Amino acid sequence: MEFSSKLLERAVNEMSQLPGIGKRTALRLVLHLLRQPKEQTQVLSQALTNMRNDIKFCKSCNNISDVDVCEICSNPKRNHNIICIVEDVRDVMAIENTSSFKGLYHVLGGKISPMDGIGPHDLNIESLVNKVKQGTVKELIFALSSTMEGDTTNFYIFKQIQDYNIITSTIARGISVGDELEYADEITLGRSIVNRIPFETTLKL
Amino acid sequence: MEFSSKLLERAVNEMSQLPGIGKRTALRLVLHLLRQPKEQTQVLSQALTNMRNDIKFCKSCNNISDVDVCEICSNPKRNHNIICIVEDVRDVMAIENTSSFKGLYHVLGGKISPMDGIGPHDLNIESLVNKVKQGTVKELIFALSSTMEGDTTNFYIFKQIQDYNIITSTIARGISVGDELEYADEITLGRSIVNRIPFETTLKL
């Protein structure tokens, strides 16, 4: 791509560093900003810089927060004995949206993935194990994605904490609510039969 | 979407103002920036702000430029008698990439589109007509997209300049090089037959 302006070229190059944004999309976005009032670009740049410089990660669960200990961890109404282990901040948001969980979270920051060069020490596993050692945790819920990397991470953590007397569970895998059985994949359908639940429990939902 | 941080929420909201970027994509992009070194966000913000504040539009053709008159308009080797009329800066880049045109450009900044509230006075048509009035222009090439809005804009400009003694032309429409005839749409194929060219001219390419 030939640019008639170095300033334009630099903006497009920086924008196309973002994942999923190619040069053409970056050019489209940058030209859009050029057509909008200067304030919009100012506000966007400021919001990004402020976010990157001032955002904190909760000292306890590693969730994104504006304060040292996040709202969830510092909320006395939540059950501090149950910890749900998730990969990512987005997973916390997704589970919070369901309003079905009143415990705390622990954000690992990824999954063990030797292919991508991510080992256990790149994730927040040690702080999780320390929480278990302190003895206040009664149940750990594994809520990682059910991929090979997710399963490996689950197993690695399980090995570290199996000697402590706590309950471990994993979120239920099965047919999505509203889905047709005939279109479900075999593994999910198979697991949903093996892990069937008493019918009466569905009456309470 | 519930955010655990106001800073994150603001960054996502500003990012999702960009066209084609929804809240989820914006969150993905912003979380990516959080995982990268602070410098990347700094450099991106700076590039966008500098671009928006310091970029100029060429006084002659309205193309994006770092100087008052763009490199194309100030190049004495180019043919200043032929002007190619395009909608957008991206069209200039596309035509420049072909290396097939050695004249100048005139960027309208859009098409006449009453549906979107864009009239002739929102576009750089007056400055084009003034160029024609000054008498140095010998040929105008219409290179707008062949939509109803493009055709309307072409016709509006043509009406303004038809009394001056200049050649007007439009870029050739036809079957793309390498395309199979059977998959071409009827209008394009029809036009390509009506506007057929002497076979000998293809031998020179």
Side-chain angles (χ1 to χ4, degrees):
Chain A
M1 228 183 256
E2 288 268 344
F3 291 92
S4 56
S5 151
K6 289 274 168 234
L7 291 164
L8 181 70
E9 186 170 7
R10 225 183 107 220
V12 169
N13 283 343
E14 285 307 322
M15 205 71 169
S16 63
Q17 300 288 315
L18 295 173
I21 308 281
K23 287 261 164 136
R24 271 169 189 269
T25 308
L27 179 61
R28 190 167 54 81
L29 297 178
V30 166
L31 290 179
H32 170 83
L33 285 176
L34 266 183
R35 280 190 293 266
Q36 301 302 115
K38 282 187 183 181
E39 289 71 37
Q40 186 176 336
T41 309
Q42 213 79 48
V43 169
L44 170 65
S45 301
Q46 204 58 54
L48 290 178
T49 316
N50 286 351
M51 184 272 302
R52 189 62 190 85
N53 288 341
D54 299 337
I55 227 165
K56 292 184 176 78
F57 291 92
C58 171
K59 278 182 180 169
S60 175
C61 73
N62 201 41
N63 189 11
I64 283 175
S65 170
D66 290 344
V67 282
D68 282 345
V69 176
C70 77
E71 283 177 21
I72 297 173
C73 287
S74 58
N75 185 346
K77 287 185 183 162
R78 299 191 71 122
N79 186 344
H80 286 235
N81 300 324
I82 303 182
I83 292 179
C84 179
I85 307 169
V86 293
E87 269 169 62
D88 202 73
V89 179
R90 278 175 287 184
D91 301 327
V92 175
M93 291 167 68
I95 298 178
E96 280 299 285
N97 276 337
T98 69
S99 308
S100 294
F101 180 65
K102 294 293 165 213
L104 306 184
Y105 295 92
H106 190 88
V107 180
L108 294 180
K111 291 170 290 192
I112 296 173
S113 173
M115 291 281 283
D116 304 313
I118 303 172
H121 299 291
D122 300 314
L123 306 175
N124 304 303
I125 293 179
E126 207 181 309
S127 56
L128 175 68
V129 175
N130 285 338
K131 278 187 204 170
V132 173
K133 280 183 188 165
Q134 282 161 23
T136 50
V137 182
K138 288 189 181 145
E139 181 175 352
L140 279 186
I141 304 174
F142 291 101
L144 306 192
S145 54
S146 59
T147 56
M148 199 153 75
E149 289 83 9
D151 290 344
T152 308
T153 314
N154 285 343
F155 189 67
Y156 180 89
I157 297 173
F158 179 74
K159 278 296 208 185
Q160 308 268 312
I161 52 100
Q162 64 179 345
D163 296 336
Y164 301 90
N165 183 29
I166 56 169
I167 302 165
T168 49
S169 61
T170 172
I171 55 168
R173 310 289 177 179
I175 308 296
S176 294
V177 177
D179 260 15
E180 307 262 6
L181 284 204
E182 55 180 324
Y183 301 121
D185 68 289
E186 295 87 355
I187 298 177
T188 306
L189 186 56
R191 280 213 206 175
S192 77
I193 291 174
V194 173
N195 302 325
R196 62 193 177 279
I197 53 166
F199 183 69
E200 298 89 63
T201 61
T202 64
L203 300 177
K204 293 175 201 152
L205 294 175
Chain B
M1 227 182 256
E2 288 268 343
F3 291 93
S4 56
S5 151
K6 290 273 168 232
L7 291 164
L8 181 69
E9 187 170 6
R10 226 184 106 217
V12 169
N13 283 343
E14 286 305 323
M15 206 69 169
S16 63
Q17 301 288 315
L18 294 172
I21 308 281
K23 288 261 163 137
R24 272 169 188 268
T25 308
L27 179 61
R28 189 166 55 81
L29 297 178
V30 166
L31 290 179
H32 171 83
L33 285 176
L34 266 183
R35 280 190 293 266
Q36 302 302 116
K38 283 187 183 180
E39 289 70 39
Q40 187 176 335
T41 309
Q42 213 79 47
V43 169
L44 170 65
S45 301
Q46 204 58 54
L48 290 179
T49 316
N50 286 350
M51 185 271 302
R52 188 64 188 86
N53 288 340
D54 299 338
I55 227 165
K56 292 184 176 78
F57 291 93
C58 172
K59 280 183 179 169
S60 174
C61 72
N62 202 42
N63 188 13
I64 284 176
S65 171
D66 290 344
V67 281
D68 282 344
V69 176
C70 77
E71 283 177 21
I72 297 173
C73 287
S74 59
N75 186 346
K77 287 186 183 161
R78 298 192 71 121
N79 186 346
H80 286 235
N81 300 325
I82 303 182
I83 292 180
C84 180
I85 306 169
V86 293
E87 270 167 61
D88 203 73
V89 178
R90 278 175 288 183
D91 302 326
V92 175
M93 290 165 69
I95 298 178
E96 280 299 285
N97 276 337
T98 68
S99 309
S100 294
F101 180 65
K102 293 293 167 214
L104 306 185
Y105 296 92
H106 189 88
V107 181
L108 294 179
K111 290 170 290 191
I112 296 174
S113 174
M115 291 282 281
D116 304 314
I118 302 172
H121 299 290
D122 299 315
L123 306 175
N124 304 303
I125 294 179
E126 207 181 309
S127 57
L128 176 66
V129 175
N130 285 339
K131 277 187 206 171
V132 173
K133 280 183 188 165
Q134 282 162 23
T136 50
V137 182
K138 289 191 181 143
E139 180 175 352
L140 279 187
I141 304 174
F142 291 102
L144 306 192
S145 53
S146 58
T147 56
M148 199 153 75
E149 289 81 9
D151 290 345
T152 308
T153 314
N154 285 342
F155 190 67
Y156 180 88
I157 296 174
F158 180 73
K159 278 297 208 183
Q160 308 267 311
I161 52 99
Q162 64 179 346
D163 296 336
Y164 301 90
N165 183 28
I166 56 169
I167 302 164
T168 50
S169 60
T170 172
I171 55 168
R173 310 289 177 179
I175 307 297
S176 294
V177 177
D179 260 16
E180 307 262 7
L181 284 204
E182 56 180 323
Y183 301 121
D185 68 288
E186 295 89 354
I187 298 178
T188 305
L189 187 55
R191 280 212 205 176
S192 78
I193 292 174
V194 173
N195 302 323
R196 63 193 177 278
I197 53 166
F199 182 68
E200 298 90 63
T201 61
T202 64
L203 299 177
K204 293 175 203 152
L205 294 174

